[in-house]
Tab-separated table of all heavy atoms in Angstrom:
chain	number	residue	atom	x	y	z
A	1	SER	N	-0.641	3.650	7.770
A	1	SER	CA	-1.343	2.816	8.752
A	1	SER	C	-1.967	1.602	8.081
A	1	SER	O	-1.893	0.479	8.597
A	1	SER	CB	-2.418	3.634	9.467
A	1	SER	OG	-1.841	4.655	10.243
A	2	GLU	N	-2.578	1.815	6.934
A	2	GLU	CA	-3.210	0.701	6.217
A	2	GLU	C	-2.160	-0.274	5.705
A	2	GLU	O	-2.361	-1.496	5.740
A	2	GLU	CB	-4.046	1.231	5.053
A	2	GLU	CG	-4.900	0.181	4.370
A	2	GLU	CD	-5.894	-0.471	5.324
A	2	GLU	OE1	-6.367	0.203	6.271
A	2	GLU	OE2	-6.217	-1.671	5.125
A	3	THR	N	-1.035	0.246	5.264
A	3	THR	CA	0.056	-0.615	4.802
A	3	THR	C	0.538	-1.518	5.925
A	3	THR	O	0.691	-2.734	5.749
A	3	THR	CB	1.230	0.239	4.289
A	3	THR	OG1	0.786	1.040	3.184
A	3	THR	CG2	2.387	-0.639	3.848
A	4	LEU	N	0.775	-0.951	7.094
A	4	LEU	CA	1.243	-1.744	8.234
A	4	LEU	C	0.214	-2.777	8.661
A	4	LEU	O	0.556	-3.897	9.040
A	4	LEU	CB	1.599	-0.826	9.401
A	4	LEU	CG	2.869	0.012	9.206
A	4	LEU	CD1	2.987	1.051	10.318
A	4	LEU	CD2	4.100	-0.880	9.177
A	5	ARG	N	-1.057	-2.413	8.605
A	5	ARG	CA	-2.115	-3.355	8.977
A	5	ARG	C	-2.084	-4.574	8.056
A	5	ARG	O	-2.175	-5.721	8.509
A	5	ARG	CB	-3.477	-2.671	8.901
A	5	ARG	CG	-4.631	-3.536	9.430
A	5	ARG	CD	-5.970	-2.872	9.198
A	5	ARG	NE	-6.340	-2.895	7.790
A	5	ARG	CZ	-6.878	-3.956	7.162
A	5	ARG	NH1	-7.076	-5.090	7.829
A	5	ARG	NH2	-7.191	-3.894	5.894
A	6	LEU	N	-1.927	-4.332	6.762
A	6	LEU	CA	-1.906	-5.428	5.806
A	6	LEU	C	-0.622	-6.245	5.921
A	6	LEU	O	-0.637	-7.468	5.761
A	6	LEU	CB	-2.055	-4.882	4.383
A	6	LEU	CG	-3.440	-4.326	4.041
A	6	LEU	CD1	-3.435	-3.699	2.649
A	6	LEU	CD2	-4.502	-5.425	4.121
A	7	VAL	N	0.502	-5.567	6.203
A	7	VAL	CA	1.764	-6.287	6.370
A	7	VAL	C	1.678	-7.233	7.566
A	7	VAL	O	2.113	-8.382	7.503
A	7	VAL	CB	2.936	-5.302	6.557
A	7	VAL	CG1	4.188	-6.048	7.018
A	7	VAL	CG2	3.230	-4.570	5.254
A	8	GLU	N	1.117	-6.749	8.672
A	8	GLU	CA	0.992	-7.589	9.864
A	8	GLU	C	0.069	-8.771	9.618
A	8	GLU	O	0.261	-9.849	10.172
A	8	GLU	CB	0.469	-6.756	11.031
A	8	GLU	CG	1.484	-5.754	11.562
A	8	GLU	CD	1.013	-5.077	12.827
A	8	GLU	OE1	-0.072	-5.446	13.318
A	8	GLU	OE2	1.717	-4.184	13.316
A	9	LYS	N	-0.914	-8.586	8.750
A	9	LYS	CA	-1.904	-9.636	8.497
A	9	LYS	C	-1.421	-10.633	7.446
A	9	LYS	O	-1.590	-11.856	7.605
A	9	LYS	CB	-3.220	-9.005	8.040
A	9	LYS	CG	-4.326	-10.000	7.792
A	9	LYS	CD	-5.608	-9.289	7.383
A	9	LYS	CE	-6.740	-10.286	7.135
A	9	LYS	NZ	-7.989	-9.599	6.715
A	10	LEU	N	-0.810	-10.136	6.358
A	10	LEU	CA	-0.497	-10.991	5.219
A	10	LEU	C	0.985	-11.118	4.902
A	10	LEU	O	1.394	-12.076	4.251
A	10	LEU	CB	-1.222	-10.455	3.967
A	10	LEU	CG	-2.738	-10.310	4.068
A	10	LEU	CD1	-3.262	-9.593	2.831
A	10	LEU	CD2	-3.392	-11.675	4.220
A	11	GLY	N	1.785	-10.156	5.321
A	11	GLY	CA	3.177	-10.131	4.901
A	11	GLY	C	3.338	-9.210	3.707
A	11	GLY	O	2.412	-9.037	2.907
A	12	PHE	N	4.505	-8.615	3.573
A	12	PHE	CA	4.712	-7.598	2.545
A	12	PHE	C	4.648	-8.168	1.134
A	12	PHE	O	4.091	-7.557	0.228
A	12	PHE	CB	6.063	-6.918	2.773
A	12	PHE	CG	6.337	-5.805	1.806
A	12	PHE	CD1	5.517	-4.695	1.746
A	12	PHE	CD2	7.426	-5.873	0.959
A	12	PHE	CE1	5.768	-3.665	0.866
A	12	PHE	CE2	7.693	-4.846	0.069
A	12	PHE	CZ	6.864	-3.741	0.028
A	13	SER	N	5.235	-9.352	0.918
A	13	SER	CA	5.309	-9.907	-0.431
A	13	SER	C	3.941	-10.274	-0.993
A	13	SER	O	3.779	-10.372	-2.212
A	13	SER	CB	6.221	-11.142	-0.450
A	13	SER	OG	5.683	-12.164	0.380
A	14	LYS	N	2.954	-10.465	-0.124
A	14	LYS	CA	1.635	-10.902	-0.581
A	14	LYS	C	0.656	-9.759	-0.846
A	14	LYS	O	-0.464	-9.999	-1.282
A	14	LYS	CB	1.026	-11.861	0.447
A	14	LYS	CG	1.796	-13.157	0.577
A	14	LYS	CD	1.128	-14.100	1.569
A	14	LYS	CE	1.909	-15.399	1.699
A	14	LYS	NZ	1.292	-16.322	2.679
A	15	ILE	N	1.085	-8.535	-0.569
A	15	ILE	CA	0.185	-7.418	-0.822
A	15	ILE	C	0.718	-6.579	-1.979
A	15	ILE	O	1.902	-6.579	-2.279
A	15	ILE	CB	0.005	-6.524	0.422
A	15	ILE	CG1	1.346	-5.901	0.846
A	15	ILE	CG2	-0.602	-7.308	1.558
A	15	ILE	CD1	1.209	-4.917	1.986
A	16	THR	N	-0.191	-5.884	-2.650
A	16	THR	CA	0.174	-5.015	-3.772
A	16	THR	C	-0.319	-3.604	-3.491
A	16	THR	O	-1.121	-3.378	-2.572
A	16	THR	CB	-0.469	-5.511	-5.072
A	16	THR	OG1	-1.903	-5.390	-4.956
A	16	THR	CG2	-0.099	-6.974	-5.345
A	17	LEU	N	0.147	-2.667	-4.286
A	17	LEU	CA	-0.349	-1.299	-4.153
A	17	LEU	C	-1.848	-1.247	-4.422
A	17	LEU	O	-2.577	-0.461	-3.821
A	17	LEU	CB	0.397	-0.375	-5.118
A	17	LEU	CG	1.854	-0.058	-4.776
A	17	LEU	CD1	2.452	0.860	-5.831
A	17	LEU	CD2	1.970	0.588	-3.398
A	18	ASP	N	-2.307	-2.103	-5.330
A	18	ASP	CA	-3.745	-2.168	-5.610
A	18	ASP	C	-4.518	-2.602	-4.373
A	18	ASP	O	-5.608	-2.081	-4.093
A	18	ASP	CB	-4.022	-3.150	-6.764
A	18	ASP	CG	-3.611	-2.585	-8.112
A	18	ASP	OD1	-3.853	-1.390	-8.346
A	18	ASP	OD2	-3.049	-3.343	-8.919
A	19	ASP	N	-3.970	-3.570	-3.617
A	19	ASP	CA	-4.634	-4.030	-2.393
A	19	ASP	C	-4.762	-2.890	-1.393
A	19	ASP	O	-5.816	-2.688	-0.786
A	19	ASP	CB	-3.834	-5.167	-1.743
A	19	ASP	CG	-3.807	-6.424	-2.581
A	19	ASP	OD1	-4.798	-6.667	-3.301
A	19	ASP	OD2	-2.802	-7.155	-2.510
A	20	ILE	N	-3.665	-2.166	-1.209
A	20	ILE	CA	-3.666	-1.062	-0.249
A	20	ILE	C	-4.634	0.028	-0.684
A	20	ILE	O	-5.421	0.540	0.116
A	20	ILE	CB	-2.243	-0.486	-0.097
A	20	ILE	CG1	-1.294	-1.574	0.418
A	20	ILE	CG2	-2.246	0.712	0.856
A	20	ILE	CD1	0.170	-1.185	0.351
A	21	ALA	N	-4.588	0.361	-1.966
A	21	ALA	CA	-5.480	1.402	-2.486
A	21	ALA	C	-6.933	0.988	-2.331
A	21	ALA	O	-7.792	1.788	-1.949
A	21	ALA	CB	-5.156	1.670	-3.952
A	22	ARG	N	-7.222	-0.294	-2.600
A	22	ARG	CA	-8.592	-0.788	-2.502
A	22	ARG	C	-9.116	-0.668	-1.067
A	22	ARG	O	-10.264	-0.274	-0.847
A	22	ARG	CB	-8.646	-2.249	-2.953
A	22	ARG	CG	-10.058	-2.786	-3.147
A	22	ARG	CD	-10.025	-4.217	-3.648
A	22	ARG	NE	-9.241	-4.348	-4.863
A	22	ARG	CZ	-8.070	-4.997	-4.943
A	22	ARG	NH1	-7.572	-5.587	-3.851
A	22	ARG	NH2	-7.414	-5.070	-6.080
A	23	CYS	N	-8.273	-0.990	-0.094
A	23	CYS	CA	-8.684	-0.894	1.300
A	23	CYS	C	-8.948	0.556	1.708
A	23	CYS	O	-9.731	0.815	2.631
A	23	CYS	CB	-7.614	-1.487	2.209
A	23	CYS	SG	-7.489	-3.284	2.113
A	24	LEU	N	-8.304	1.468	1.021
A	24	LEU	CA	-8.497	2.894	1.310
A	24	LEU	C	-9.602	3.504	0.459
A	24	LEU	O	-9.919	4.687	0.603
A	24	LEU	CB	-7.190	3.661	1.055
A	24	LEU	CG	-6.037	3.367	2.014
A	24	LEU	CD1	-4.736	3.937	1.453
A	24	LEU	CD2	-6.324	3.950	3.396
A	25	GLY	N	-10.186	2.684	-0.433
A	25	GLY	CA	-11.227	3.195	-1.310
A	25	GLY	C	-10.673	4.096	-2.394
A	25	GLY	O	-11.369	4.991	-2.896
A	26	LYS	N	-9.401	3.841	-2.778
A	26	LYS	CA	-8.744	4.681	-3.781
A	26	LYS	C	-8.206	3.814	-4.920
A	26	LYS	O	-8.324	2.597	-4.905
A	26	LYS	CB	-7.579	5.452	-3.143
A	26	LYS	CG	-7.966	6.315	-1.955
A	26	LYS	CD	-8.786	7.523	-2.375
A	26	LYS	CE	-9.065	8.434	-1.184
A	26	LYS	NZ	-9.845	9.639	-1.581
A	27	LYS	N	-7.588	4.506	-5.911
A	27	LYS	CA	-6.939	3.811	-7.007
A	27	LYS	C	-5.424	3.809	-6.797
A	27	LYS	O	-4.894	4.606	-6.034
A	27	LYS	CB	-7.278	4.487	-8.341
A	27	LYS	CG	-8.752	4.382	-8.713
A	27	LYS	CD	-9.004	5.004	-10.071
A	27	LYS	CE	-10.472	4.865	-10.454
A	27	LYS	NZ	-10.749	5.467	-11.786
A	28	LYS	N	-4.730	2.918	-7.506
A	28	LYS	CA	-3.288	2.802	-7.364
A	28	LYS	C	-2.587	4.121	-7.651
A	28	LYS	O	-1.590	4.471	-6.998
A	28	LYS	CB	-2.770	1.708	-8.300
A	28	LYS	CG	-1.272	1.508	-8.234
A	28	LYS	CD	-0.836	0.406	-9.198
A	28	LYS	CE	0.681	0.267	-9.216
A	28	LYS	NZ	1.096	-0.798	-10.169
A	29	SER	N	-3.087	4.878	-8.617
A	29	SER	CA	-2.465	6.156	-8.974
A	29	SER	C	-2.466	7.119	-7.792
A	29	SER	O	-1.582	7.982	-7.680
A	29	SER	CB	-3.194	6.787	-10.160
A	29	SER	OG	-4.579	6.962	-9.866
A	30	PHE	N	-3.439	6.964	-6.902
A	30	PHE	CA	-3.504	7.800	-5.698
A	30	PHE	C	-2.286	7.540	-4.819
A	30	PHE	O	-1.658	8.472	-4.307
A	30	PHE	CB	-4.792	7.479	-4.931
A	30	PHE	CG	-4.872	8.090	-3.565
A	30	PHE	CD1	-5.223	9.417	-3.391
A	30	PHE	CD2	-4.605	7.328	-2.434
A	30	PHE	CE1	-5.298	9.984	-2.133
A	30	PHE	CE2	-4.675	7.885	-1.164
A	30	PHE	CZ	-5.024	9.217	-1.022
A	31	LEU	N	-1.914	6.267	-4.653
A	31	LEU	CA	-0.740	5.928	-3.852
A	31	LEU	C	0.544	6.404	-4.521
A	31	LEU	O	1.469	6.860	-3.849
A	31	LEU	CB	-0.674	4.420	-3.617
A	31	LEU	CG	-1.802	3.774	-2.818
A	31	LEU	CD1	-1.507	2.300	-2.623
A	31	LEU	CD2	-1.992	4.453	-1.486
A	32	ASN	N	0.594	6.282	-5.853
A	32	ASN	CA	1.804	6.666	-6.570
A	32	ASN	C	2.091	8.159	-6.473
A	32	ASN	O	3.234	8.582	-6.670
A	32	ASN	CB	1.692	6.273	-8.043
A	32	ASN	CG	1.805	4.774	-8.254
A	32	ASN	OD1	1.082	4.186	-9.055
A	32	ASN	ND2	2.710	4.127	-7.530
A	33	TYR	N	1.094	8.943	-6.155
A	33	TYR	CA	1.314	10.374	-5.964
A	33	TYR	C	2.203	10.606	-4.744
A	33	TYR	O	3.014	11.540	-4.722
A	33	TYR	CB	-0.021	11.088	-5.774
A	33	TYR	CG	0.122	12.549	-5.395
A	33	TYR	CD1	0.401	13.514	-6.359
A	33	TYR	CD2	-0.019	12.960	-4.074
A	33	TYR	CE1	0.552	14.857	-6.011
A	33	TYR	CE2	0.128	14.296	-3.708
A	33	TYR	CZ	0.408	15.237	-4.682
A	33	TYR	OH	0.555	16.545	-4.321
A	34	TYR	N	2.063	9.732	-3.732
A	34	TYR	CA	2.815	9.879	-2.488
A	34	TYR	C	4.057	9.002	-2.442
A	34	TYR	O	5.057	9.371	-1.810
A	34	TYR	CB	1.915	9.540	-1.297
A	34	TYR	CG	0.759	10.487	-1.132
A	34	TYR	CD1	-0.484	10.208	-1.693
A	34	TYR	CD2	0.905	11.677	-0.424
A	34	TYR	CE1	-1.543	11.088	-1.551
A	34	TYR	CE2	-0.140	12.564	-0.274
A	34	TYR	CZ	-1.377	12.267	-0.844
A	34	TYR	OH	-2.415	13.147	-0.715
A	35	PHE	N	3.988	7.822	-3.075
A	35	PHE	CA	5.102	6.874	-3.026
A	35	PHE	C	5.329	6.288	-4.419
A	35	PHE	O	4.373	5.801	-5.029
A	35	PHE	CB	4.803	5.752	-2.032
A	35	PHE	CG	4.472	6.249	-0.643
A	35	PHE	CD1	3.148	6.379	-0.239
A	35	PHE	CD2	5.477	6.608	0.239
A	35	PHE	CE1	2.832	6.858	1.026
A	35	PHE	CE2	5.174	7.082	1.511
A	35	PHE	CZ	3.848	7.209	1.904
A	36	PRO	N	6.581	6.284	-4.907
A	36	PRO	CA	6.840	5.808	-6.268
A	36	PRO	C	6.640	4.311	-6.471
A	36	PRO	O	6.303	3.864	-7.560
A	36	PRO	CB	8.311	6.200	-6.497
A	36	PRO	CG	8.894	6.271	-5.120
A	36	PRO	CD	7.789	6.797	-4.246
A	37	ASP	N	6.851	3.522	-5.402
A	37	ASP	CA	6.695	2.077	-5.531
A	37	ASP	C	6.412	1.462	-4.158
A	37	ASP	O	6.402	2.161	-3.144
A	37	ASP	CB	7.943	1.428	-6.151
A	37	ASP	CG	9.226	1.845	-5.438
A	37	ASP	OD1	9.225	1.889	-4.179
A	37	ASP	OD2	10.221	2.129	-6.115
A	38	LYS	N	6.209	0.157	-4.146
A	38	LYS	CA	5.844	-0.539	-2.912
A	38	LYS	C	6.968	-0.515	-1.886
A	38	LYS	O	6.718	-0.378	-0.686
A	38	LYS	CB	5.449	-1.984	-3.236
A	38	LYS	CG	4.764	-2.694	-2.080
A	38	LYS	CD	4.198	-4.040	-2.506
A	38	LYS	CE	5.259	-5.080	-2.639
A	38	LYS	NZ	4.703	-6.465	-2.701
A	39	GLU	N	8.200	-0.636	-2.348
A	39	GLU	CA	9.332	-0.631	-1.420
A	39	GLU	C	9.447	0.712	-0.701
A	39	GLU	O	9.712	0.769	0.499
A	39	GLU	CB	10.636	-0.957	-2.158
A	39	GLU	CG	10.833	-2.422	-2.481
A	39	GLU	CD	9.906	-2.906	-3.591
A	39	GLU	OE1	9.416	-2.051	-4.370
A	39	GLU	OE2	9.667	-4.125	-3.679
A	40	ALA	N	9.248	1.799	-1.446
A	40	ALA	CA	9.320	3.137	-0.839
A	40	ALA	C	8.207	3.317	0.181
A	40	ALA	O	8.403	3.927	1.239
A	40	ALA	CB	9.220	4.212	-1.913
A	41	LEU	N	7.038	2.746	-0.128
A	41	LEU	CA	5.904	2.841	0.785
A	41	LEU	C	6.195	2.077	2.081
A	41	LEU	O	5.976	2.588	3.186
A	41	LEU	CB	4.652	2.274	0.110
A	41	LEU	CG	3.397	2.122	0.968
A	41	LEU	CD1	3.042	3.430	1.676
A	41	LEU	CD2	2.229	1.631	0.122
A	42	LEU	N	6.719	0.866	1.965
A	42	LEU	CA	7.012	0.089	3.171
A	42	LEU	C	8.133	0.741	3.983
A	42	LEU	O	8.076	0.779	5.214
A	42	LEU	CB	7.398	-1.335	2.817
A	42	LEU	CG	7.657	-2.213	4.044
A	42	LEU	CD1	6.396	-2.406	4.865
A	42	LEU	CD2	8.237	-3.559	3.661
A	43	ALA	N	9.145	1.263	3.292
A	43	ALA	CA	10.239	1.919	3.999
A	43	ALA	C	9.712	3.083	4.828
A	43	ALA	O	10.123	3.288	5.973
A	43	ALA	CB	11.290	2.401	3.001
A	44	ALA	N	8.784	3.848	4.258
A	44	ALA	CA	8.196	4.981	4.990
A	44	ALA	C	7.341	4.491	6.153
A	44	ALA	O	7.355	5.075	7.241
A	44	ALA	CB	7.363	5.839	4.043
A	45	ALA	N	6.601	3.394	5.935
A	45	ALA	CA	5.736	2.861	6.984
A	45	ALA	C	6.556	2.342	8.163
A	45	ALA	O	6.264	2.630	9.323
A	45	ALA	CB	4.857	1.739	6.416
């Protein structure tokens, strides 16, 4: 949900895993537990 919110606001190329993690109050490693990279995360979203 947070990924889609940021994509709609900024576009996919302008956001990073760090941005998404920061908005969730987490670290990048937290996202990597669920998704190996940004492309996999967007594909799932």
Side-chain angles (χ1 to χ4, degrees):
S1 295
E2 188 60 32
T3 299
L4 289 170
R5 187 186 72 80
L6 290 175
V7 168
E8 289 188 4
K9 182 178 180 181
L10 304 172
F12 183 61
S13 63
K14 295 182 180 179
I15 62 175
T16 65
L17 288 180
D18 286 319
D19 294 329
I20 299 169
R22 191 178 305 112
C23 289
L24 292 167
K26 303 289 185 179
K27 294 183 179 180
K28 180 180 176 181
S29 57
F30 170 80
L31 297 184
N32 288 139
Y33 173 80
Y34 296 94
F35 305 98
D37 51 43
K38 193 171 76 165
E39 283 72 21
L41 172 53
L42 183 65

